[in-house]
Amino acid sequence: MSDKDFNNLMELADELLQQKVSDEEALQSFIDAGILDESGNLTKNYELLATNPIS
């Protein structure tokens, strides 16, 4: 990746971070990524995230 490509990617990331996202849009992005199901529960591949390793 050239320096120009890297800089363009960083600018795009900065622009995306500045965008306002509603709660519904954020939830839908997790559903689209397969992290949450339609009910808002973690999918099988991500169930480990719900465990509390600190006891």
Side-chain angles (χ1 to χ4, degrees):
M1 177 182 296
S2 70
D3 287 343
K4 182 179 179 181
D5 291 336
F6 177 78
N7 290 334
N8 287 338
L9 185 58
M10 292 303 293
E11 287 177 19
L12 176 60
D14 286 338
E15 289 173 18
L16 291 173
L17 285 172
Q18 299 302 319
Q19 290 181 356
K20 301 296 181 203
V21 179
S22 70
D23 291 345
E24 292 81 16
E25 290 171 321
L27 179 60
Q28 189 61 51
S29 69
F30 283 111
I31 293 169
D32 293 343
I35 298 168
L36 297 177
D37 62 19
E38 291 291 334
S39 299
N41 300 312
L42 291 168
T43 58
K44 183 174 176 138
N45 291 337
Y46 294 92
E47 288 174 345
L48 184 61
L49 295 175
T51 62
N52 185 0
I54 300 172
S55 299

